[in-house]
Amino acid sequence: MVFFPPAKLNLGLHILGKRPDGFHDLESVFLPLRWTDILEVTLDENVSAGEARFEWTGLDIPGSATDNLVTRAHRLLADKHALPGLSIHLHKILPMGAGLGGGSADGTYTLRAINEVCKLGLSPQELAHDAAQLGSDCPFFLQDGAALVQGRGEHIAPIDLNKVLDGCHVVVANPGIHIGTAEAFALVTPQARTADWHGLADVPLSQWRMHLRNDFEAGVRAQHIAVDELLTRMAEAGADHVQMTGTGSTVFGLFTDSTSANRAAALCKASGQGIVWQGLY
Ligand code: C5P
C-alpha cells in the first residue's frame, strides 16, 4: 500500500511560554502541501514477525538508517501489537531539518499505514497518543486539512481558510541549511500573545503579515544570510505573504497571482542553492 506523507507550512508560529515538562506551548496554523514523500508498506513473508525491513531512496537521511521516525513508529507499534513481517520503503523527497515536518509526516504515516495494512483497528485516540509520543509535530498528520495547532502540538482543530487560500500559489524555498529543533527552541524568547486565527479568513492575504509572526524567524534570518535573501526575493517578486516555516530554514511565499509566483520561483532558483517547490495550495 502506498502513502504520500506531505510537507506542512506554519502560518505564524507563536511561542507562548515554556512548560514544566521542558516543551513550549505554541500556536500556529499548519497547512499541508501537495509536496510529499512516498511511503510503501507491504506484508513480507521473508521478514520475521514483529520486524520490518526498511529501505529508502531519494535524499540522504542524516544519522542512522535504523533509527529514524519511520523505524521508531514501527517499533512503537511492534512493541504493543503482534505484527507480521513488513517491508517499508521510503522515497525521501522533502528536505530534512527544514521546518517542513517531513520526518514527522513520515513517522505518522507509518503509524497510519501499519494500522491499515495490518488491520489493527486502532482508534483515533490511540493513534493520537502514539503520534504524540513520536514527536510534537506528528499528531497534525493524522488528519488531512489545515488546522490550528496548540499546546505542545497535540491540540489540533480544523480551521477553514479556504476563502483566502483557495487557488493560492505557493512557492517554497529551502536553502539547504539544517536547523536543529531543540537548539532553536532553546534560543527563542517566548511571548504570551495570541492571534485571532479564525479571523484570518476575513483578512486579505496581503494583510496577514500584520497578524502573523514566526518567533524563530528574526534569529534565523540574522544568522543565515541565505534565509534573509530568500525572504527578500519572495517579497520583491510580489508575494502577498512571506514567512519562514517552523524553526527554519525553509521560507515560503503565498501569491494571489501566478506571474508573481513564477517570478519568485525563478529568483529563488537563480540563487543556485537548495530546493525550490512551486504549486497550488
Ligand atoms: O517533539 P520533538 O521531538 O519534535 O521536539 C524536539 C525538541 O524541540 C524537544 O526536545 C524540545 O526541546 C523542543 N520542543 C519544544 N516545544 C515544542 C516542540 C519541541 O520545546 N512544542
Side-chain angles (χ1 to χ4, degrees), residues 22-26 104 132 134-137 151-153 181-183 185-186:
F23 285 87
H24 291 76
D25 277 321
L26 56 81
S104 305
L134 275 184
S136 303
D137 281 352
R152 178 199 142 197
T181 310
E183 295 75 20
F185 271 97

Side-chain angles (χ1 to χ4, degrees), residues 32-170:
L33 290 181
R34 294 165 198 255
W35 191 20
T36 73
D37 284 336
I38 304 169
L39 177 75
E40 186 176 29
V41 176
T42 45
L43 300 174
D44 190 336
E45 287 172 357
N46 298 315
V47 176
S48 315
E51 300 296 324
R53 183 169 59 202
F54 174 67
E55 54 175 22
W56 88 89
T57 47
L59 294 180
D60 241 356
I61 303 177
S64 165
T66 53
D67 182 24
N68 53 66
L69 281 159
V70 170
T71 57
R72 276 187 234 168
H74 170 262
R75 185 66 15 234
L76 196 65
L77 292 183
D79 285 347
K80 292 195 285 188
H81 306 276
L83 298 186
L86 294 169
S87 270
I88 304 180
H89 181 179
L90 176 68
H91 186 63
K92 193 72 200 149
I93 294 169
L94 304 171
M96 285 146 281
L100 290 165
S104 305
D106 296 337
T108 302
Y109 271 71
T110 302
L111 297 176
R112 288 173 69 158
I114 294 175
N115 186 34
E116 274 196 44
V117 171
C118 303
K119 300 187 171 58
L120 295 182
L122 296 178
S123 68
Q125 291 77 11
E126 282 171 283
L127 283 168
H129 177 266
D130 289 342
Q133 255 186 283
L134 275 184
S136 303
D137 281 352
C138 289
F140 164 72
F141 293 103
L142 288 171
Q143 49 99 59
D144 294 319
L148 174 59
V149 176
Q150 291 172 297
R152 178 199 142 197
E154 73 280 32
H155 299 304
I156 293 149
I159 187 168
D160 186 358
L161 297 174
N162 286 345
K163 209 163 96 184
V164 186
L165 290 179
D166 245 4
C168 174
H169 300 264
V170 187

Side-chain angles (χ1 to χ4, degrees), residues 194-229:
T194 61
D196 175 12
W197 299 101
H198 292 279
L200 281 177
D202 298 313
V203 175
L205 194 53
S206 57
Q207 286 175 31
W208 277 14
R209 74 190 70 184
M210 271 133 39
H211 302 268
L212 300 175
R213 276 192 19 210
N214 178 339
D215 286 336
F216 295 100
E217 189 175 300
V220 175
R221 190 172 194 169
Q223 217 180 344
H224 299 286
I225 182 81
V227 173
D228 181 63
E229 276 173 13

